[in-house]
Amino acid sequence: MSPRTTTSPAPAPAPGTGAHTPEAAGIIHDARQRIDDLDGRIIGLVQERMAVSAVIQRERLTSGGRRVNLSREMEILAHYRDQLGKPGTALAMTLLELSRGQI
């Protein structure tokens, strides 16, 4: 007969975190709370950006200009791309669409 080796089963992941230790689950939980807080702030900033953009568009139209300034939008796209890479361009496009609607 060969000796029997007993191995303990791998710990089950903590519900909702995928962590296999209580310590990791706690860190993940805290980090997710921080992300939720950041997301709330980001949403607030996007809403503020939309309001400021509405002021700019209204003043531009009132003064006889166009609603959209394409050269300014290109600057914004380049800035986001430079700071965040290619996904930054998609993020900037989303922000521009939220702020002025689709062209």
Side-chain angles (χ1 to χ4, degrees):
M1 279 187 153
S2 63
R4 254 178 115 165
T5 343
T6 56
T7 57
S8 343
T17 66
H20 289 272
T21 65
E23 295 81 15
I27 291 169
I28 291 168
H29 173 73
D30 292 346
R32 284 180 175 173
Q33 281 187 320
R34 177 119 193 266
I35 285 175
D36 290 346
D37 292 342
L38 289 167
D39 285 344
R41 290 170 43 199
I42 291 167
I43 290 167
L45 289 170
V46 169
Q47 290 170 332
E48 183 178 349
R49 186 190 195 290
M50 292 167 64
V52 171
S53 182
V55 169
I56 292 168
Q57 290 177 57
R58 184 178 60 243
E59 291 305 314
R60 193 179 294 129
L61 287 169
T62 301
S63 69
R66 300 182 71 179
R67 181 173 65 95
V68 175
N69 181 332
L70 293 178
S71 64
R72 173 66 176 147
E73 289 195 358
M74 295 306 292
E75 289 173 16
I76 293 165
L77 291 168
H79 178 67
Y80 274 76
R81 183 190 62 244
D82 292 346
Q83 295 300 310
L84 302 172
K86 187 177 177 183
T89 304
L91 176 59
M93 285 298 296
T94 299
L95 289 171
L96 291 170
E97 185 178 331
L98 285 168
S99 296
R100 51 106 167 109
Q102 292 184 333
I103 303 178

